[in-house]
Amino acid sequence: MPGNSTITVHADRDVHPSRAVAPPIYQTAAFWAEDAETFAQVAVDPRGKDFYTRFGNPNHAQVATVVAELENTEAAMVTASGMAALTTAVLALVSAGDHVIGQKSTYGGTASVLLHMLPRLGVSTTLVDQTDPEAFAKALTPQTRLILVESPSNPLLRITDLRAVAELARAHDVLTMADNTFATPLNQRPADFGIDLVWHSATKYLNGHSDVSAGVLAGRAGLLDRIWDVGLLTGATLGPVDAWLLLRGMRTLPLRVPRHNANGLALAEALNKHSAVSRVHYPGLATHPQHNLACSQMSGFGGVLGIEFAGGFEMADAFLGRLRYSRRSASLGGVESLAVHPASMWRGMLSEEQIDCSASGALARHGAR
C-alpha cells in the first residue's frame, strides 16, 4: 500500500482525468449526457460525479477517494460540514423506536443531537462513560441500532477502546460510528479496529487552513449509499470550490500532522509542570489515565490539549486574554494556534450539568506552529 503522502497527492488522479496538473474546479450545478441511456444511468449512480452537484461532483469524488484510502475504507462521501455528516448518517441509519448509545464526553454538537434532536424524532438515547467499555455493554437494549463514539473526545481528550466497542457492537448486530476529527487518519484509523463508519469535521485538520466548512464520511459502500440517499433529501451539499480547497489542504496533511503532534506534546509537557495549571488533558502524556490505550490505537496524539487552571474560570479567561499569538476562536487543526473555553462556548447549547460532565472547565488549545 502506498504511503500517506503518496495517497494524498495521487489517489484521486484517475477519478476525473484531465491534462491539468492541478485539478480543475467543476463550478457547475449540472452536467449533460450524450444519450438517454447514459443520462438515466448517471441519475441513479450513488455518490456520482457527472449528473447534478447535489448528487455528486468531480471535486467531491476526488476528496472522497483520498479520504477512503487514508481511512482504509471501501468508500467515502463529502457533506457541507461535520455536523451534516453526523446528522445525515444518523437520520439514514435509525428510525422512531430505535435506541442510540453515545458518550458523556463528546463534542457539544454531537451531544445536542443525542440529547435533543433524536428524542424529538422518537429515538431514545443513552450517554455512557467512554472510559469504561462495560458501560457500553450495560447500555445495550434490544432496540439499540447505533453506537456513536469519539476518540480522543472533545475537549477532555478521553480515549474510547475502539476495538472493544466494535466487537461488542458486531456481536449484537449494532452499527458503530467514530468521530475521528481530533486524531486524523494519520494518527488513527478506526476502521482498522472494526468500526463501521468514520466521520470528520473536515473543516479542521483535513483542510488545515481554516477557510472551508466541510464534512466527510468513510466506510462500506453499501452503508454510504443509504446515507447518500438521505443526503439528497437534506441537501447538505458541499460546494465545488470548498471541495477543491479541501482537496488542496489534504495534499499537505502528512506534513502538517507530525508538526501538530510534536507541538502538542511539547506544550502539554511544559504546561503539565506549570504551577498555575491543575491538570493537562493530553493522551500523549504518561500521566494521562488512558495513555497506554491511546498508544495501542494511535500513532500520534495531535495538536489539541485541554488545560484546567487552579484559579478556575477567572484564571482561564485571564489566560486567554494574555495570549500573544493564539486567538480566541472555536475551531482547530489550522496552521494558526487557537484557544477557547468550551464551557462558555457551549452554554447556549447544553445545560450546566451537561457542560460540567462534558467540558469540566477545561481550556482547549490548538495549533500547528
Side-chain angles (χ1 to χ4, degrees), residues 44 72 121 178 180 218 222 229 240 260 268 277:
V44 296
N72 194 29
L121 301 177
N180 204 32
D229 284 340
H260 280 290
V277 175

Side-chain angles (χ1 to χ4, degrees), residues 1-7 10-11 69 189:
M1 183 177 178
N4 289 321
S5 293
T6 302
I7 290 171
H10 298 291
E69 287 219 31
R189 298 196 305 191

Side-chain angles (χ1 to χ4, degrees), residues 262-313:
N263 286 356
L265 180 59
L267 189 58
E269 289 175 338
L271 288 169
N272 203 35
K273 301 172 185 176
H274 199 287
S275 59
V277 175
S278 59
R279 188 173 183 183
V280 176
H281 301 267
Y282 188 73
L285 291 175
T287 54
H288 189 285
Q290 297 172 288
H291 177 67
N292 290 338
L293 175 60
C295 290
S296 74
Q297 60 189 35
M298 301 180 72
S299 58
F301 306 103
V304 181
L305 54 144
I307 314 162
E308 292 187 47
F309 288 93
F313 181 92

